[in-house]
Amino acid sequence: MKIANKFPGKDISIEDIKTKFPLVAKKNKKHKSKFKISGIEFGGNLIPVFAGPNMVESEKLIISCAKNVKKSGAHFLRGGAFKPLTFPYRSKKYTETRLEGLKWLKKAKNETHIPIITEIMEEKYLDKICEVADILQIGSRNMQNFPLITACARTQKPIMLKRHYGSSLRDWLGAAEYIMVEGNKKVILCERGVSVPHTHRSTSRFLLDLQVIPAAQEITHLPMVSDPSHATFWRPWVPSMTLASIAAGSDGIMLEVHPDPKNSAVDPLQPIDFKEFKSLMKKMNKVSKSIGRHILKK
Ligand code: PEP
Ligand code: MN
């Protein structure tokens, strides 16, 4: 296969493509995976949107999010019952809702028929999470937790693999190969921002690596999702980075949406509210249409 940079240096070599991740690599220039999850097509002209709160905080919150994001055209509801929280100290408000949260997610799904994407942190909860999730989310912190990835892959459930914020494209694709080698073909990659020396401010904790979208697509046939909420960590920058992700060729968008963003239990600086989400969806659809794709029903 020909890749634009003939000398990719220390990162991905032609040899890697053949021997390290043959299943994840494109077989030819046009090769792109297309598959359906809960009736929604990935890798085609549709750009599926995952929207919802950072954490499944309560039954009321998740049901209201499910109803609202669905009404605005979101394809999946996101929300973590199990959360990789950066610091161990937390008040009751910040406590993960775990199995109870999973029940609320299930209720939200039963009431609204929106499919669910939720994070798995420990293999011991795999069966329970599989009862609710339509897509298993492997969070950035577990990108190279190979026993967890392998166990998830073997269920044959679709998996979204978030890139660790310190990971090269090579390591990320290597982790995706761990899923595919188990015969699981429904793999989605998600860029969620990288950590670089000049991002050490609260308003730029991470940097959205927009360039990794075309870079990954040059090498892999797997669909690429962008998560501008985690990447910017800053609500005012989410809309422009979302539109830029679509323009860059993203095959999906993950957005944090909360009815009362400032009071979000986790990461209150980054979610947008229902109104902003509705308006952003329209703009996203416009940008998508300008490149022959779409988000909302035609
Ligand atoms: C999330 O999407 O809820 C999350 C924790 O993301 P990340 O793993 O990218 O930090
Ligand atoms: Mn987070």
Side-chain angles (χ1 to χ4, degrees):
M1 186 196 308
K2 239 182 136 185
I3 50 179
N5 182 355
K6 265 179 151 178
F7 302 104
K10 282 188 291 193
D11 205 23
I12 297 168
S13 69
I14 304 286
E15 203 48 35
D16 285 339
I17 290 171
K18 287 193 202 129
T19 61
K20 304 281 199 296
F21 33 83
L23 302 172
V24 160
K26 289 164 98 161
K27 306 265 178 288
N28 57 60
K29 222 174 157 188
K30 289 225 164 99
H31 183 194
K32 187 159 183 180
S33 264
K34 248 193 210 178
F35 51 77
K36 280 190 176 175
I37 303 175
S38 307
I40 292 146
E41 188 168 74
F42 284 80
N45 288 336
L46 177 73
I47 301 179
V49 175
F50 312 100
N54 187 305
M55 182 158 90
V56 183
E57 295 172 32
S58 68
E59 180 178 326
K60 191 168 162 244
L61 173 104
I62 200 66
I63 292 178
S64 104
C65 285
K67 286 183 179 157
N68 268 279
V69 300
K70 189 179 173 178
K71 206 165 76 192
S72 295
H75 305 85
F76 289 82
L77 176 68
R78 67 141 283 144
F82 297 90
K83 292 293 311 169
L85 300 166
T86 306
F87 303 106
Y89 313 110
R90 54 193 70 107
S91 66
K92 204 158 182 293
K93 185 185 163 197
Y94 291 78
T95 304
E96 294 168 90
T97 52
R98 303 175 145 248
L99 294 173
E100 212 176 3
L102 280 184
K103 280 191 202 146
W104 299 333
L105 271 175
K106 198 171 194 171
K107 216 164 167 197
K109 181 169 158 175
N110 288 343
E111 281 196 22
T112 62
H113 304 286
I114 189 167
I116 306 278
I117 175 165
T118 195
E119 177 160 358
I120 172 149
M121 306 252 298
E122 293 172 88
E123 192 186 334
K124 64 181 178 194
Y125 296 113
L126 184 56
D127 292 344
K128 283 265 185 284
I129 294 175
C130 280
E131 283 174 26
V132 181
D134 296 276
I135 304 176
L136 297 172
Q137 174 172 322
I138 306 276
S140 55
R141 288 147 187 94
N142 278 310
M143 189 199 85
Q144 287 186 314
N145 183 342
F146 300 123
L148 176 69
I149 293 178
T150 300
C152 291
R154 287 184 179 157
T155 65
Q156 302 302 328
K157 274 262 181 195
I159 295 178
M160 186 172 89
L161 181 67
K162 294 190 93 171
R163 180 193 191 184
H164 186 270
Y165 34 87
S167 168
S168 64
L169 177 54
R170 186 175 191 262
D171 286 2
W172 188 17
L173 297 180
E177 189 80 11
Y178 268 87
I179 306 173
M180 295 205 75
V181 80
E182 299 301 331
N184 192 328
K185 295 192 170 69
K186 294 189 175 178
V187 185
I188 301 162
L189 299 172
C190 176
E191 158 60 21
R192 46 79 70 220
V194 291
S195 189
V196 293
H198 45 285
T199 58
H200 297 163
R201 281 179 60 210
S202 65
T203 50
S204 48
R205 185 181 177 198
F206 302 110
L207 178 80
L208 179 61
D209 186 1
L210 273 179
Q211 203 166 292
V212 87
I213 299 169
Q217 287 168 343
E218 207 167 63
I219 293 163
T220 179
H221 54 88
L222 297 173
M224 276 287 303
V225 165
S226 171
D227 172 357
S229 303
H230 279 86
T232 60
F233 193 59
W234 188 234
R235 182 166 32 259
W237 301 346
V238 168
S240 56
M241 289 303 102
T242 301
L243 300 178
S245 299
I246 293 170
S250 191
D251 300 301
I253 295 289
M254 175 170 261
L255 284 171
E256 269 183 28
V257 181
H258 192 285
D260 182 11
K262 286 192 182 72
N263 285 307
S264 170
V266 184
D267 295 344
L269 301 177
Q270 73 197 26
I272 54 173
D273 67 19
F274 294 148
K275 206 170 141 223
E276 287 167 318
F277 178 64
K278 188 177 175 190
S279 125
L280 182 56
M281 283 292 274
K282 288 187 186 141
K283 290 183 192 153
M284 285 156 74
N285 196 44
K286 269 194 191 161
V287 174
S288 305
K289 278 182 153 173
S290 74
I291 52 167
R293 302 183 84 173
H294 65 102
I295 288 187
L296 301 172
K297 283 198 186 95
K298 280 189 227 178

